[in-house]
Amino acid sequence: MTIPTQMSLQGFIATAPELTFTGKGHARFYCRVGIEQHRKEVDGSFTKLDSVYCDLVLFDRAAERAYPRFKPGDQIVASGYIHEYEQERPGGPSQIREQFVARRIGHDCARTRYVVDRTPAEQPDPPTNEMTVVNEPAQAVGI
């Protein structure tokens, strides 16, 4: 059995995220993401190069949930795919552009300190004739 995988992107939020809605009412999250680049030198050290930037988008519920959670400078990891499209340029030839369409996005836990809220989402009350289970929140460990 093959392990299902997806393309991923690791970087930082470079511009303030925008939340817009398509003509059909679908939410669209947009921001520019910077991807740090390094070159390994002969002596084993690394030289930091200029960052590469790309457009990142999310759609629908993922877009609505991501918008209040991310700001410029946040280190992120996202999985999804690259979408190429043609952009018309006024008075000139069209240009092929690409954007990373994220299906999932989160803060990079190797580079971000945070607390996980494990409060259950709204759930129905358990039946009274079954055993009661108590979930105590786990202690967060700082990095």
Side-chain angles (χ1 to χ4, degrees):
M1 179 176 183
T2 303
I3 298 173
T5 61
Q6 277 190 359
M7 183 180 296
S8 67
L9 176 145
Q10 183 265 321
F12 60 92
I13 304 287
T15 63
E18 300 171 11
L19 183 65
T20 58
F21 292 86
T22 66
K24 294 182 179 181
H26 296 277
R28 178 182 182 266
F29 172 101
Y30 167 83
C31 70
R32 296 277 292 164
V33 173
I35 303 161
E36 294 177 348
Q37 303 288 303
H38 296 85
R39 178 181 61 226
K40 187 171 183 176
E41 302 297 344
V42 177
D43 65 0
S45 65
F46 288 88
T47 300
K48 186 174 181 179
L49 305 173
D50 290 337
S51 295
V52 173
Y53 294 88
C54 71
D55 296 333
L56 179 136
V57 295
L58 285 113
F59 292 98
D60 299 319
R61 184 73 178 130
E64 292 173 358
R65 292 186 59 125
Y67 180 68
R69 290 179 166 91
F70 294 94
K71 65 179 186 175
D74 286 354
Q75 297 288 329
I76 62 151
V77 176
S79 66
Y81 61 95
I82 294 174
H83 173 246
E84 290 186 351
Y85 61 98
E86 194 170 343
Q87 184 179 35
E88 299 295 326
R89 296 176 68 189
S94 60
Q95 178 183 16
I96 300 295
R97 303 233 3 187
E98 60 184 24
Q99 62 187 0
F100 190 83
V101 180
R103 290 190 173 121
R104 301 275 190 268
I105 187 171
H107 289 93
D108 184 349
C109 69
R111 302 182 74 185
T112 305
R113 293 185 311 153
Y114 58 92
V115 176
V116 176
D117 178 4
R118 289 194 170 88
T119 306
E122 289 185 34
Q123 297 177 355
D125 292 331
T128 56
N129 62 349
E130 293 187 17
M131 182 172 72
T132 302
V133 177
V134 177
N135 288 325
E136 295 194 21
Q139 296 294 322
V141 177
I143 295 178

